[in-house]
Amino acid sequence: MSTSVDHAPPPSPTEPHILDNAAWAALAGPHSHLAERVGRAARYPADVSPFTALEDPTDPRAWEDLATLVGPGAVTPVTAVQTVPVGWQVEQSGEGVQMIATALYAEPAPEAVRLGPADVPEILELIALTRPGPFLPRTVELGTYLGIRDHGRLIALAGERLRPPGWTEISAVCSHPDHRGRGLATRLVRAIAAGIRERGDTPFLHAAASNTHAIRLYESIGFTLRRRTRFALVRAPGGQLETQGRDGQEAGQPEEEA
């Protein structure tokens, strides 16, 4: 199965784009209050997000800091990584796409409700059913999450995840299988994007490269492919085999579906 994707204009070849290392930019910026950090390595708390990031994935010192942060033998997801140093092992990897809103029409959704900590049990039920990507008990602390209810039951969800300066990622886009085909997720994406733009940020998102259905849908509502991405689940050198509370959480593997 294949899909055609329009490409956004490339950034200057002499300057890396902030979205090339979005997790680090968020952890070192707007989400710094959540960051667990050792030098050039940082991560979110295990009950907030699986993301771990390096200031410069090509810097051996950053990997040394990461080893200190996660501990010997720990398994952790890392973003923006192409290769790992000697002593580290890649346990799992995958490909994704990063898309930015270039022609998205954003507007509030009057039927949407703001979701918070009290809604987490329902959110986790919907996430388990639809599997849009990692969502943990405190993920709602990353930004605004909106939902649509039907007779009191949560049937659709979308929210904000990574927040590099000037950008906000739309994530956890899903709708209950019994209510698909009604455009609920698309309305929530537009509503989340409206809030993002209101504070001056630009919306972006990730999707698994294999999720051609979601990619086509995002294209159709105004998102453009910026770059291909890679996630990796890596094991630190030495020690016993541990997961630091991140079992099964791939490195931000995006499976968003509108």
Side-chain angles (χ1 to χ4, degrees), residues 21-80:
N21 197 355
W24 173 264
L27 283 162
H31 284 165
S32 61
H33 64 288
L34 292 169
E36 298 175 354
R37 181 169 175 177
V38 173
R40 305 165 185 84
R43 68 180 180 184
Y44 289 96
D47 56 353
V48 173
S49 171
F51 282 106
T52 302
L54 303 169
E55 182 177 19
D56 179 359
T58 67
D59 184 354
R61 297 172 300 173
W63 287 93
E64 292 171 4
D65 290 341
L66 180 60
T68 300
L69 177 63
V70 302
V75 172
T76 188
V78 182
T79 61

Side-chain angles (χ1 to χ4, degrees), residues 52-110:
T52 302
L54 303 169
E55 182 177 19
D56 179 359
T58 67
D59 184 354
R61 297 172 300 173
W63 287 93
E64 292 171 4
D65 290 341
L66 180 60
T68 300
L69 177 63
V70 302
V75 172
T76 188
V78 182
T79 61
V81 169
Q82 298 300 319
T83 60
V84 299
V86 173
W88 289 80
Q89 298 179 23
V90 177
E91 299 289 310
Q92 188 176 357
S93 65
E95 303 297 325
V97 297
Q98 184 182 82
M99 307 183 77
I100 60 176
T102 54
L104 175 68
Y105 176 67
E107 63 178 351

Side-chain angles (χ1 to χ4, degrees), residues 81-253:
V81 169
Q82 298 300 319
T83 60
V84 299
V86 173
W88 289 80
Q89 298 179 23
V90 177
E91 299 289 310
Q92 188 176 357
S93 65
E95 303 297 325
V97 297
Q98 184 182 82
M99 307 183 77
I100 60 176
T102 54
L104 175 68
Y105 176 67
E107 63 178 351
E111 72 274 40
V113 295
R114 179 78 177 258
L115 301 175
D119 302 295
V120 166
E122 277 190 285
I123 294 172
L124 293 176
E125 287 183 12
L126 185 59
I127 293 291
L129 180 65
T130 57
R131 301 180 64 83
F135 197 99
L136 300 163
R138 293 175 56 207
T139 298
V140 291
E141 296 180 24
L142 294 176
T144 299
Y145 281 83
L146 298 178
I148 293 176
R149 295 183 178 278
D150 182 68
H151 299 288
R153 181 188 186 190
L154 185 65
I155 61 171
L157 167 71
E160 301 174 353
R161 189 165 61 179
L162 297 180
R163 280 194 63 188
W167 299 81
T168 301
E169 180 192 23
I170 298 177
S171 181
V173 181
C174 60
S175 56
H176 193 285
D178 293 344
H179 296 271
R180 288 178 180 163
R182 297 169 53 186
L184 301 178
T186 296
R187 294 208 293 275
L188 288 176
V189 167
R190 296 189 192 280
I192 290 291
I196 291 170
R197 286 180 173 166
E198 186 175 349
R199 64 169 178 262
D201 283 2
T202 300
F204 74 106
L205 53 79
H206 292 95
S210 60
N211 196 345
T212 54
H213 169 75
I215 293 171
R216 284 196 298 267
L217 188 145
Y218 289 133
E219 282 186 289
S220 73
I221 63 174
F223 283 88
T224 300
L225 176 70
R226 181 183 166 264
R227 69 191 292 260
R228 303 280 174 177
T229 61
R230 181 175 183 265
F231 62 87
L233 194 66
V234 301
R235 186 181 300 278
Q240 300 297 314
L241 304 186
E242 302 176 10
T243 59
Q244 297 294 306
R246 285 164 163 78
D247 287 293
Q249 296 289 0
E250 298 170 1
Q253 178 177 9

